[in-house]
Amino acid sequence: QYLEWLRRQIIDNQRVDILAKEVLGFELEPFHLFMMQTQVAHPNNLILVGRGFGKSTICTVTKAIWYLCAYPKARIAIASKTVTQANARLAEIKKILETGGENSLLFDLFGEFYNPNRWNANTIDIAQRYDPKNKDTPGAKSTDATPSIICVGSDQSKAGFHVDVEFGDDMIDEKNSRTPVVREAFDHWY
């Protein structure tokens, strides 16, 4: 009964804070709650917060996991200044999806996520995306060519894949915003 209530709160009421605190075991400060509420109220948002405040963990990692739980067929892109930075966010997500976070509630609520068919440094395809006809077949593939999560950097092309949700995480720095020409090139890429 508690698990069903928890699941309904997380999915139906978009309670990303409950996912973060009760399921993933993150300690939340009031400003974290504000960031999460902003993401829910304004899906196309920009959150500017200094380094070290947990923006990537709360706004990218946790919210991406929420999308995978709520919409298992979602296609998510994590875009950063470099693909290496985006891969670092994906590594955090993979660790949680492989272990269940601080407790096993993630698996109890949403099942296992690990898919040996596509689980590498810059893409993952969660187990929940399997073709239902092949669900029990080892190595079964998703019917969608775009993975559950793909990582991109502003130093590479975004052509060739289609996503439903894109998280921009640490995309701008002093170097790629210094001159109007560089800013325009970045704006064109995004």
Side-chain angles (χ1 to χ4, degrees):
Q1 205 169 30
Y2 172 68
L3 291 179
E4 185 54 36
W5 176 86
L6 204 56
R7 183 180 170 85
R8 276 196 321 272
Q9 291 300 311
I10 293 167
I11 301 303
D12 298 342
N13 297 327
Q14 298 186 35
R15 295 293 305 273
V16 182
D17 59 318
I18 292 176
L19 174 67
K21 185 174 183 174
E22 301 300 324
V23 178
L24 303 181
F26 293 138
E27 291 189 29
L28 301 177
E29 298 294 333
F31 60 86
H32 292 133
L33 296 172
F34 178 77
M35 289 189 292
M36 286 186 263
Q37 290 166 350
T38 299
Q39 281 187 308
V40 170
H42 308 283
N44 298 323
N45 65 71
L46 173 64
I47 296 177
L48 299 173
V49 179
R51 292 194 179 277
F53 285 90
K55 176 177 68 328
S56 294
T57 300
I58 297 302
C59 295
T60 301
V61 172
T62 304
K63 187 68 175 198
I65 291 170
W66 179 85
Y67 269 106
L68 295 176
C69 294
Y71 306 102
K73 294 188 185 270
R75 299 167 300 182
I76 300 168
I78 298 175
S80 291
K81 181 176 178 270
T82 66
V83 72
T84 301
Q85 288 172 301
N87 289 346
R89 293 294 81 73
L90 181 59
E92 292 178 59
I93 293 167
K94 285 173 20 182
K95 182 178 179 186
I96 292 167
L97 296 180
E98 290 168 357
T99 64
E102 291 295 312
N103 55 52
S104 65
L105 274 180
L106 184 64
F107 296 155
D108 293 342
L109 292 167
F110 302 104
E112 298 280 335
F113 290 85
Y114 178 71
N115 174 3
N117 193 48
R118 189 188 284 177
W119 200 269
N120 57 51
N122 65 347
T123 62
I124 65 169
D125 219 0
I126 62 171
Q128 290 85 336
R129 289 185 79 198
Y130 282 161
D131 182 335
K133 292 176 265 179
N134 297 328
K135 189 170 186 173
D136 296 321
T137 305
K141 294 184 179 181
S142 166
T143 57
D144 192 340
T146 301
S148 300
I149 300 180
I150 188 166
C151 296
V152 294
S154 64
D155 54 348
Q156 69 182 111
S157 171
K158 294 194 320 181
F161 64 89
H162 306 280
V163 298
D164 304 306
V165 179
E166 185 169 341
F167 291 98
D169 190 87
D170 292 334
M171 296 175 66
I172 305 294
D173 67 4
E174 190 174 316
K175 191 174 183 180
N176 71 0
S177 63
R178 185 171 293 155
T179 68
V181 172
V182 174
R183 286 192 299 270
E184 187 176 318
F186 179 81
D187 189 46
H188 177 73
W189 173 83
Y190 194 72

